[in-house]
Amino acid sequence: MYPYKLPILSFTFDAFEPIIDAKTMEIHYSKHHAAYVDNLNKLLENHKDLHNLSIEDLLNQIDRVPEDIRQGVINNAGGHANHTHFWSILKKDGINQPMGEIKECINEEFGNFDELKSQIIAAGLKRFGSGWVWLVMKDARIQIISTPNQDSPLMHGAIPLFGIDLWEHAYYLQYQNRRAEYLENIFAILNWEEININFLRA
Ligand code: MN
């Protein structure tokens, strides 16, 4: 709820070396994510009727936001929610494979994990410009979607299980234009325990 705050990270900026370099993580969190939080708080400063909403409810109920600030709130509330989610589904020395209940569901919907992975990578490469690729729960099924800019799946009735940031700020220092390599590598640091919890909650 208002004022929104940067989450405290459970890892250090160098935790994901060599897959994501420490400088990228530092700038990503302390500049990009922090700016979304600051901008959102400024936009909502004089809209006290919205101050009791969680970030998720703010996005779920985006039509309640006055039109003159709505696009700014979409960008910055989305940016805050998306990044808070992103940090939570990354883990050093991840197990590299789905586990628990979501594993079975992935096998049912996609055949196997490799197929899910290649479809995620394909969707991530297809996103022109900036955005996100997601595995979400929507209409009681797990699905891959991609959103432009900082649009949140929550605005479309979809609950994120995991999302991968496709903005160049997430990978450019290390990977430059090699988005495919970044996408392939990030699968090694996904937190499948947390993703399975998201699945069970959804
Ligand atoms: Mn980002």
Side-chain angles (χ1 to χ4, degrees), residues 28 32 36 83 86-87 132 150 165 167 169-170:
H28 202 169
H32 292 279
Y36 297 126
H83 286 86
F86 189 52
W87 312 134
W132 292 74
Q150 292 297 353
D165 193 340
W167 285 58
H169 69 222

Side-chain angles (χ1 to χ4, degrees), residues 89-100 102-103 113 186-196:
I89 55 92
L90 297 179
K91 190 184 182 188
K92 188 181 176 151
D93 305 322
I95 53 173
N96 270 318
Q97 290 284 333
M99 55 157 289
I102 196 173
K103 182 179 177 175
F113 173 52
I186 204 167
F187 274 87
I189 53 169
L190 291 184
N191 185 345
W192 283 103
E193 289 96 343
E194 191 66 26
I195 296 166
N196 191 49

Side-chain angles (χ1 to χ4, degrees), residues 16-165:
F16 306 122
E17 298 257 12
I19 288 166
I20 303 176
D21 64 282
K23 193 74 190 168
T24 294
M25 287 299 296
E26 182 184 352
I27 297 170
H28 202 169
Y29 172 79
S30 52
K31 304 289 184 201
H32 292 279
H33 189 171
Y36 297 126
V37 175
D38 289 346
N39 291 336
L40 177 61
N41 287 333
K42 274 181 211 141
L43 280 165
L44 294 180
E45 194 175 358
N46 297 319
H47 297 271
K48 294 208 161 50
D49 54 315
L50 300 170
H51 285 189
N52 62 344
L53 293 176
S54 67
I55 192 71
E56 290 83 7
D57 285 341
L58 184 61
L59 288 160
N60 275 327
Q61 303 170 34
I62 197 70
D63 291 345
R64 285 180 59 182
V65 176
E67 240 177 281
D68 60 320
I69 61 163
R70 192 177 300 153
Q71 189 58 50
V73 171
I74 288 172
N75 296 343
N76 291 289
H80 178 36
N82 292 344
H83 286 86
T84 300
H85 167 84
F86 189 52
W87 312 134
S88 78
I89 55 92
L90 297 179
K91 190 184 182 188
K92 188 181 176 151
D93 305 322
I95 53 173
N96 270 318
Q97 290 284 333
M99 55 157 289
E101 290 79 358
I102 196 173
K103 182 179 177 175
E104 266 176 54
C105 188
I106 286 170
N107 290 341
E108 274 168 33
E109 289 288 336
F110 296 93
N112 55 56
F113 173 52
D114 284 344
E115 181 58 27
L116 169 77
K117 186 173 161 183
S118 53
Q119 286 190 30
I120 292 263
I121 292 172
L125 291 173
K126 206 171 151 195
R127 164 59 51 202
F128 185 74
S130 296
W132 292 74
V133 60
W134 307 90
L135 185 69
V136 298
M137 181 70 84
K138 191 182 180 195
D139 304 326
R141 291 185 65 181
I142 58 168
Q143 307 180 29
I144 296 168
I145 65 167
S146 169
T147 54
N149 305 312
Q150 292 297 353
D151 286 15
S152 164
L154 296 166
M155 296 191 305
H156 309 293
I159 299 168
L161 305 182
F162 73 85
I164 301 176
D165 193 340

